[in-house]
């Protein structure tokens, strides 16, 4: 019944460091960055802050932790003039201590980093103490130590060639070695070492112990050290150790268990008392235990029908946004859950429409950090990641590699830099990025287009007197909260592996500011800039062609892929131009087969006429476009041809002016028809001529296609989302904020009965319909209570079954020791 899955999520906000030790050079300052590590594996790196002993980072990092770990560590590095990195210090938080600092700003003292204390991994040992009776009848003790395997050893300088030494520490020392295992941090040794612990007094070989008192065994210990075999002169690297007193074998002669490796001398070595400074962190950490799917059905069904609840403020999903301290907390699991079940568009449409109705000024539409804006942000991050990669990554990579100077602030110019050259460099970058964005509409994921369509319609209906609001409602997301942040911090959107260097970061900041303003369509653009040099630079882009390009782009991404194209009052023109067309069924030869026509595509239909402005000779509704594919050149011995396939296998063959035009038409036609329910899965890559298909030789003109359709651009990005885990996370949030749910229930009761003025303590909640909201709250509280009972039972069962010293819970696992203590207290209390 229980899925053996523990989903761990962490969100760290890296604030700032202060009072770092001065650099031993003349300028005293340092260029520092910070890394986030699971044990010793780096998972995130901040930007470099130059020339500071109190660097401010202000960066957020969120991740799902894919493995077990013992420490969440933060290292401060200094980058010197030779681009070598030296460690200043670290903060290491044990896994079991993370809850102490959960979701609150904390200053941590930086600690020294010592090679002997940097350990991770575990070792599997078997010990056996045997009594041997000699010929004279005297009893002596022998110890067999079997080193079976290790897991999760650190990789040092890109390699791990581990071996173990086994030492019996007593009056004298015996040290034995395993073989070296090459290129693995999970070595299997399975080697046994024998030690003579006590012997008869008549035995006098110096290499053995002269112990007659068996009680002396209690004073001995077996020690296992793990090493990385190194080719370097200064010797092998220490990976961790384990020390076990033999007295615990007095109760049982045989013992086998997993152990966590420990720092040398268990980390008790005295460190230099130098003050290395401190680091401010805010760590949010949650751990989920996910049940099988049927456990979540009631709560999941309640959440998924949120889009259909009237009013939407009475729905379970909206209520979650109301009770969570931060809207982001609710948005992340909600978006993932709705995306997984294909319900994200109706849900966001419902909450966006409700928010627009509450908005009084069109200039403030979607400007706040509401549940709607956070959900759209999260959807764009998930569904739009591939879109960002194909749109921005090539030029971002170029900017990071070429290092052109683009500083346009006269105060910040360095010696030898020319302001006009820098402006021209920056202008070229802005122009190129602006062009790739405004030409990328056909690549925008369908789910994003559907959401933008809904925003556009809600805004236009609410503010009918403002003709620009249908654009600003969309641009406030696609430019302000998607492209501009991705340009500013490409590492947060997987466009670069690390934060760019300071010069590149400054260039990206200037580009991001300009792109954001270009996309805003505000009346007075220069007034958007506090800095006079930015206002001067923006004069380059004050031409109407830029505003037109933005509007055309917004038209495309907020109108394609519609289920009901006629719901918009006026059709939106997406593309037009002359091409040559041939109708299906005409003879192969003859001038009448091919004619030059003016083609026009809107979000309603695809038409052609003799000349621009004439009455259409043919009109194909968008819903009748079943596939758009290239046509093999052999069909008509003509290049740059494509076909538009309609119902009953009717095909319109078209020749574009060049290969670029052909691709543009194919892309945009595919985009607008992507959601058609009867889209084909197969097609004929060649024409039907002289009674047969040239590609497959089939004779019937209605024969199904012989080649799979390319499908054009992906309609939706398929995401690897676990719906049960997301429901578990939502349950955890509801459980955490149960007092607020109960307070909200009280507010509903108060409003329903008295219908009087709001009490101040209830005024923070949006409650449009007290009765409907009360019903939903009742179902939420019941569902959460049932799941809470299941979790409590699961923990009790797990406590009974879990063995300390197993592979899952090695000896030395302090978090498990804490768990055992808590469960013991709970059991004692219940008794």
């Amino acid at each position: 019944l229980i899925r053996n899955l523990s989903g761990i999520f962490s969100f760290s906000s890296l604030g700032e460091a202060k009072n770092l030790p001065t650099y031993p050079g003349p300028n005293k300052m340092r260029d520092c960055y910070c890394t986030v590590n699971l044990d010793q594996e780096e998972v995130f790196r901040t930007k470099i802050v130059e020339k500071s002993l109190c660097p401010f980072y202000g960066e957020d990092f969120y991740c799902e932790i894919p493995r077990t770990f013992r420490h969440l560590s933060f290292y401060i590095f200094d980058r010197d003039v030779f681009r070598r990195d030296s460690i200043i210090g670290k903060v290491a938080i044990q896994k079991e201590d993370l809850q102490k600092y959960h979701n609150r700003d904390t200053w941590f003292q930086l600690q020294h980093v010592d090679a002997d204390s940097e350990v991770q991994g575990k070792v599997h040992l078997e010990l056996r103490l045997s009594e041997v009776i000699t010929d004279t009848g005297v009893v002596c003790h022998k110890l067999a130590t079997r080193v079976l395997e290790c897991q999760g050893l650190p990789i040092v300088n890109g390699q791990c060639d581990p071996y173990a030494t086994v030492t019996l520490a007593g009056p004298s020392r015996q040290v034995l070695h395993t073989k070296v295992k090459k290129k693995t941090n999970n070595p299997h040794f399975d080697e046994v070492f024998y030690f003579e612990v006590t012997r008869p007094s008549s035995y006098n070989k110096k290499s053995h112990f002269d112990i007659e008192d068996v009680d002396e065994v209690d004073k001995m210990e077996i020690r296992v050290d793990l090493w990385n075999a190194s080719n370097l002169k200064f010797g092998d690297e220490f990976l961790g150790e384990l020390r076990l007193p033999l007295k615990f074998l007095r109760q049982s002669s045989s013992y086998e268990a997993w152990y966590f490796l420990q720092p040398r001398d268990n980390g008790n070595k005295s460190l230099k008392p130098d003050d290395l400074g401190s680091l401010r962190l805010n760590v949010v950490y949650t751990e989920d235990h996910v049940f099988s799917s049927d456990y979540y059905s009631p709560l999941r069904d309640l959440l998924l029908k949120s889009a259909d609840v009237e009013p939407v403020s009475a729905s379970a999903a909206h209520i979650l946004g109301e009770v969570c301290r931060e809207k982001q907390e609710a948005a992340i699991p909600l978006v993932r859950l709705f995306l997984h079940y294909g319900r994200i568009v109706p849900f966001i449409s419902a909450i966006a429409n409700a928010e627009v109705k509450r908005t009084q000024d069109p200039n403030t539409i979607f400007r706040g950090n509401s549940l709607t804006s956070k959900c759209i942000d999260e959807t764009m991050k998930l569904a739009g990641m591939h879109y960002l990669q194909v749109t921005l990554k090539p030029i971002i990579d170029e900017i990071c590699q070429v290092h052109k100077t683009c500083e346009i602030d006269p105060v910040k110019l360095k010696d030898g830099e020319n302001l006009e050259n820098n402006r021209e460099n920056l202008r070229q970058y802005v122009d190129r990025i602006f062009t790739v964005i405004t030409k990328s509409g056909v690549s925008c994921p369908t789910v994003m287009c559907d959401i933008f369509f809904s925003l556009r319609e809600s805004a236009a209906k609410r503010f009918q007197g403002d003709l620009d609001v249908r654009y600003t409602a969309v641009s406030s997301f696609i430019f302000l909260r998607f492209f501009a942040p991705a340009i500013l911090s490409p590492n947060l959107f997987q466009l670069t592996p690390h934060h760019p260097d300071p010069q590149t970061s400054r260039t990206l900041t200037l580009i991001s500011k300009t792109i954001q303003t270009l996309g805003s369509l505000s009346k007075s653009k220069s007034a958007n800039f506090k800095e006079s040099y930015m206002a001067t630079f923006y004069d380059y882009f004050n031409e109407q062609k830029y505003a037109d390009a933005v509007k055309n782009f917004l038209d495309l991404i907020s109108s394609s892929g519609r289920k009901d194209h006629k719901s918009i009052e006026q059709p939106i023109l997406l593309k037009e131009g002359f091409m040559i067309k041939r109708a299906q069924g005409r003879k192969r030869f003859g001038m009448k087969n091919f004619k030059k026509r003016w083609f026009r595509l809107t979000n309603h239909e695809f038409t052609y006429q003799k000349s621009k402005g004439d009455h259409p000779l043919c009109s194909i509704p968008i819903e009748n476009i079943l596939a758009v594919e290239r046509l093999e050149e052999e069909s008509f011995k003509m290049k740059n041809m494509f076909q538009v396939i309609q119902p009953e296998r009717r095909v319109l063959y078209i020749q574009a002016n060049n290969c670029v035009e052909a691709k543009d038409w194919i892309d945009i036609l595919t985009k607008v028809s992507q959601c058609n329910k009867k889209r084909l899965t197969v097609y004929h890559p060649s024409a039907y001529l002289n009674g047969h298909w040239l590609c497959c030789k089939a004779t019937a003109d209605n024969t199904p296609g012989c080649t799979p359709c390319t499908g054009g651009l992906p309609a939706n990005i398929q995401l690897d989302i676990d719906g049960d885990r997301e429901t578990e996370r939502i349950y955890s949030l509801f459980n955490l904020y149960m007092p607020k749910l109960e307070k909200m229930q009280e507010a509903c009761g108060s409003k329903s009965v008295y219908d009087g003025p709001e009490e101040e303590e209830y005024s923070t909640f949006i409650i449009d319909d007290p009765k409907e909201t009360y019903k939903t709250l009742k179902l939420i509280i019941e569902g959460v209570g049932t799941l809470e009972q299941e979790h409590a039972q699961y923990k009790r069962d797990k406590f009974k079954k879990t063995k300390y010293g197993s592979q899952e819970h090695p000896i030395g696992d302090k978090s498990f020791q804490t768990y055992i203590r808590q469960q013991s207290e709970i059991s004692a209390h219940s008794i």
Side-chain angles (χ1 to χ4, degrees):
L1 292 175
I2 305 297
R3 183 142 49 105
N4 187 18
L5 173 65
S6 174
I8 304 167
F9 299 84
S10 176
F11 175 88
S12 302
S13 178
L14 293 155
E16 58 187 312
K18 67 179 180 183
N19 303 328
L20 299 180
T22 57
Y23 186 73
N27 65 9
K28 308 291 187 186
M29 294 291 109
R30 292 182 182 269
D31 300 339
C32 295
Y33 64 91
C34 181
T35 67
V36 183
N37 295 54
L38 296 177
D39 296 323
Q40 292 173 57
E41 180 187 7
E42 182 181 319
V43 293
F44 178 74
R45 180 180 295 198
T46 69
K47 63 191 174 191
I48 296 172
V49 177
E50 293 184 314
K51 299 181 177 61
S52 176
L53 298 178
C54 297
F56 178 81
Y57 298 106
E59 293 190 42
D60 291 338
F61 168 65
Y62 169 82
C63 75
E64 179 179 339
I65 298 173
R67 62 173 179 82
T68 57
F69 68 101
R70 292 163 67 184
H71 294 91
L72 182 64
S73 302
F74 302 83
Y75 292 79
I76 297 280
F77 285 88
D78 180 27
R79 169 72 55 90
D80 70 13
V81 289
F82 302 107
R83 291 193 167 265
R84 290 193 302 250
D85 302 338
S86 56
I87 295 179
I88 296 174
K90 73 171 181 179
V91 171
I93 309 173
Q94 292 184 359
K95 181 181 175 183
E96 57 271 18
D97 292 335
L98 284 170
Q99 285 301 327
K100 293 181 190 174
Y101 311 108
H102 178 75
N103 205 16
R104 60 189 179 92
D105 276 1
T106 308
W107 282 98
F108 294 89
Q109 283 295 120
L110 288 170
Q111 303 297 323
H112 279 278
V113 178
D114 179 79
D116 289 346
S117 69
E118 294 283 284
V119 302
Q120 66 181 60
K122 53 193 176 185
V123 60
H124 189 191
L125 291 184
E126 185 178 352
L127 303 174
R128 187 180 299 274
L129 188 63
S130 306
E131 291 185 345
V132 180
I133 302 175
T134 64
D135 295 341
T136 57
V138 178
V139 175
C140 64
H141 291 79
K142 293 201 174 186
L143 175 69
T145 303
R146 185 182 180 196
V147 183
L148 290 127
E149 60 180 311
C150 295
Q151 282 189 351
L153 299 178
I155 294 173
V156 183
N157 297 323
Q159 60 112 38
C160 189
D161 298 336
Y163 69 92
T165 61
V166 185
T167 306
L168 180 64
S172 71
R173 295 165 63 86
Q174 299 176 71
V175 183
L176 301 170
H177 298 246
T178 67
K179 294 175 183 173
V180 176
K181 299 292 181 180
K182 292 282 188 181
K183 296 180 181 176
T184 177
N185 63 338
N186 299 308
H188 285 259
F189 296 110
D190 202 6
E191 295 187 42
V192 184
F193 302 96
Y194 295 94
F195 298 94
E196 195 168 276
V197 179
T198 61
R199 63 168 189 80
S201 56
S202 60
Y203 191 71
N204 59 9
K205 194 172 178 183
K206 293 290 183 187
S207 63
H208 290 69
F209 300 121
D210 188 5
I211 303 172
E212 295 181 35
D213 185 357
V214 174
D215 290 336
E216 288 295 313
V217 172
D218 291 353
K219 297 176 184 177
M220 297 184 189
E221 68 175 12
I222 194 80
R223 183 169 134 189
V224 180
D225 292 81
L226 267 296
W227 299 85
N228 180 39
S230 172
N231 298 321
L232 303 175
K233 292 180 180 177
F234 49 77
D236 297 345
E237 290 105 353
F238 173 77
L239 300 181
E241 72 170 15
L242 179 65
R243 295 185 172 207
L244 297 172
L246 292 193
K247 61 183 178 184
F248 79 93
L249 286 173
R250 305 289 284 162
Q251 285 78 36
S252 171
S253 61
S254 177
Y255 197 81
E256 179 260 330
W258 284 84
Y259 297 85
F260 270 139
L261 289 168
Q262 301 297 336
R264 183 169 281 164
D265 299 323
N266 212 14
N268 294 326
K269 190 165 75 172
S270 61
L271 296 170
K272 289 181 283 185
D274 304 0
D275 184 7
L276 298 178
S278 51
L279 180 65
R280 181 167 64 88
L281 302 168
N282 186 327
V283 179
V284 176
Y285 173 84
T286 59
E287 187 168 329
D288 302 327
H289 298 277
V290 184
F291 294 116
S292 55
S293 193
D294 50 330
Y295 281 81
Y296 297 106
S297 293
L299 184 59
R300 183 175 57 238
D301 294 346
L302 188 64
L303 289 160
L304 290 175
K305 72 176 187 181
S306 292
D308 305 319
V309 173
E310 286 287 345
V312 72
S313 59
S315 68
H318 193 279
I319 288 169
L320 180 66
E322 286 296 289
V323 296
C324 282
R325 195 178 78 163
E326 301 286 346
K327 303 292 183 190
Q328 182 86 353
E329 275 185 300
I332 291 172
L334 283 175
V335 164
R336 295 172 71 88
L337 181 73
F338 283 109
L339 268 172
H340 180 69
Y341 288 100
R343 298 284 294 154
I344 191 66
V345 175
F347 169 62
I348 287 182
S349 298
I351 59 174
N353 197 41
E355 183 175 330
V356 169
K357 285 178 180 175
R358 289 194 294 269
T359 305
Q360 300 303 316
D361 182 354
N363 295 315
T364 63
I365 195 165
F366 300 125
R367 293 293 181 186
N369 287 322
S370 62
L371 182 64
T372 306
S373 59
K374 289 298 182 185
C375 283
I376 296 174
D377 286 353
E378 197 60 31
T379 304
M380 292 192 300
K381 275 185 189 172
L382 289 168
M385 201 59 74
H386 177 73
Y387 177 36
L388 280 179
Q389 295 281 330
V390 297
T391 307
L392 292 182
K393 189 169 180 12
I395 191 166
I396 295 286
D397 286 343
E398 182 188 324
I399 292 168
C400 292
Q401 289 161 13
V402 176
H403 289 289
K404 281 186 183 178
T405 53
C406 297
E407 183 55 71
I408 58 172
D409 182 355
V411 178
K412 294 185 179 179
L413 280 185
K414 295 178 182 175
D415 292 341
E417 287 185 359
N418 181 289
L419 184 60
E420 285 308 312
N421 287 348
N422 288 5
R423 274 186 186 150
E424 180 58 21
N425 290 340
L426 184 62
R427 189 192 66 76
Q428 288 180 10
Y429 277 146
V430 170
D431 243 336
R432 286 174 60 193
I433 286 184
F434 178 80
T435 302
V436 296
I437 289 173
T438 52
K439 295 286 186 188
S440 71
V442 294
S443 304
C444 186
T446 304
V447 68
M448 286 170 61
C449 294
D450 288 345
I451 289 168
F452 295 150
F453 171 74
S454 176
L455 300 182
R456 176 191 183 107
E457 291 298 282
S458 291
K461 188 176 178 181
R462 174 75 173 87
F463 300 104
Q464 294 179 10
D466 190 327
L467 298 178
D468 283 335
V469 75
R470 63 181 60 207
Y471 293 114
T472 54
V474 178
S475 68
S476 63
F477 286 102
I478 194 71
F479 281 101
L480 190 69
R481 305 171 86 117
F482 186 63
F483 282 121
I487 296 165
L488 183 66
S489 303
N491 57 309
L492 299 182
F493 292 81
Q494 282 84 60
L495 296 174
T496 57
H498 301 299
H499 200 287
D501 61 79
Q503 181 187 316
T504 305
S505 187
R506 173 65 176 163
T507 299
L508 294 173
T509 300
L510 295 171
I511 295 170
S512 179
K513 280 185 175 184
T514 315
I515 291 293
Q516 183 176 315
T517 307
L518 275 167
S520 69
L521 292 170
S522 59
K523 307 284 189 298
S524 175
K525 305 259 182 168
S526 299
N528 286 359
F529 298 108
K530 297 174 185 173
E531 311 93 338
S532 58
Y533 62 85
M534 283 301 297
T536 304
F537 174 70
Y538 196 80
D539 288 341
Y540 286 123
F541 306 98
N542 257 334
E543 298 177 41
Q544 186 59 35
K545 67 176 184 180
Y546 290 102
D548 291 343
V550 169
K551 286 186 176 182
N552 289 340
F553 169 67
L554 296 174
D555 279 338
L556 177 55
I557 64 170
S558 62
S559 63
S560 52
R562 298 284 60 77
K563 308 291 187 292
D564 177 12
H565 307 279
K566 309 302 185 290
S567 62
I568 306 173
E569 300 137 12
Q570 294 296 320
I572 296 167
L573 178 64
L574 301 177
K575 191 172 178 63
E576 60 182 346
F578 275 114
M579 290 190 290
I580 294 170
K581 68 93 187 173
R582 177 190 187 276
Q584 171 76 0
R586 300 284 181 92
K587 294 178 182 178
R588 181 170 186 178
F589 302 103
M591 293 299 292
K592 292 184 180 178
N593 283 341
F594 291 94
K595 298 200 183 247
K596 190 174 183 180
R597 293 288 183 256
W598 181 261
F599 284 83
R600 196 167 185 272
L601 175 67
T602 72
N603 54 320
H604 290 189
E605 59 188 359
F606 183 46
T607 63
Y608 63 80
Q609 52 247 41
K610 278 191 177 182
S611 298
K612 186 175 181 180
D614 288 353
H615 190 271
L617 298 173
C618 174
S619 174
I620 304 171
I622 294 298
E623 54 266 30
N624 283 355
I625 298 176
L626 306 186
V628 183
E629 297 288 347
R630 293 187 181 278
L631 187 70
E632 288 181 354
E633 196 176 314
E634 288 301 308
S635 296
F636 300 106
K637 308 295 182 190
M638 294 166 68
K639 293 185 176 181
N640 307 319
M641 290 203 71
F642 63 94
Q643 52 185 314
V644 178
I645 306 170
Q646 304 163 66
E648 299 174 5
R649 305 285 170 187
R650 286 183 295 115
V651 185
L652 177 66
Y653 296 122
I654 303 171
Q655 184 189 33
N657 298 321
N658 54 57
C659 60
V660 175
E661 276 287 297
K663 182 181 184 303
D664 283 350
W665 276 104
I666 292 168
D667 282 351
I668 200 164
L669 282 162
T670 301
K671 186 69 183 171
V672 297
S673 61
Q674 227 163 11
C675 291
N676 291 348
K677 291 179 181 176
K678 295 182 180 178
R679 270 189 70 85
L680 298 178
T681 55
V682 290
Y683 78 108
H684 292 285
S686 291
Y688 182 79
L689 293 171
N690 302 326
H692 69 275
W693 292 99
L694 298 181
C695 42
C696 60
K697 311 304 179 190
T699 55
D701 62 356
N702 61 353
T703 303
C706 57
T707 304
C709 286
T710 59
L713 300 156
N716 279 309
I717 306 300
Q718 293 302 311
L719 298 163
D720 182 19
I721 293 174
D722 185 334
D724 297 331
R725 176 178 286 187
E726 301 310 323
T727 314
E728 166 66 26
R729 293 181 68 197
I730 292 169
Y731 145 75
S732 298
L733 287 170
F734 275 136
N735 200 34
L736 176 66
Y737 293 109
M738 185 57 71
K740 280 195 174 183
L741 287 172
E742 291 166 349
K743 186 73 75 178
M744 198 173 187
Q745 207 173 24
E746 285 176 26
C748 289
S750 172
K751 284 191 168 194
S752 297
V753 175
Y754 300 110
D755 198 25
E758 277 188 11
E759 291 185 38
E760 192 174 330
E761 60 179 322
Y762 300 151
S763 61
T764 54
F765 303 123
I766 294 175
I767 303 173
D768 295 318
D769 186 327
K771 288 183 179 176
E772 281 300 313
T773 309
Y774 188 92
K775 285 180 193 173
T776 307
L777 282 162
K778 189 168 181 289
L779 292 170
I780 291 170
I781 292 167
E782 286 173 0
V784 169
T786 302
L787 280 168
E788 179 66 6
Q789 289 174 6
E790 297 291 350
H791 276 279
Q793 186 59 49
Y794 166 67
K795 287 177 180 176
R796 286 192 292 269
D797 294 344
K798 182 185 174 187
F799 176 62
K800 291 174 186 174
K801 294 174 186 174
T802 304
K803 179 189 172 189
Y804 189 46
S806 64
Q807 188 173 356
E808 294 77 23
H809 299 287
I811 293 171
D813 184 351
K814 293 181 181 176
S815 60
F816 185 67
Q817 289 174 307
T818 304
Y819 171 74
I820 289 175
R821 187 170 62 252
Q822 289 171 346
Q823 293 303 310
S824 300
E825 289 168 0
I826 291 168
S827 299
H829 179 70
S830 61
I831 290 167

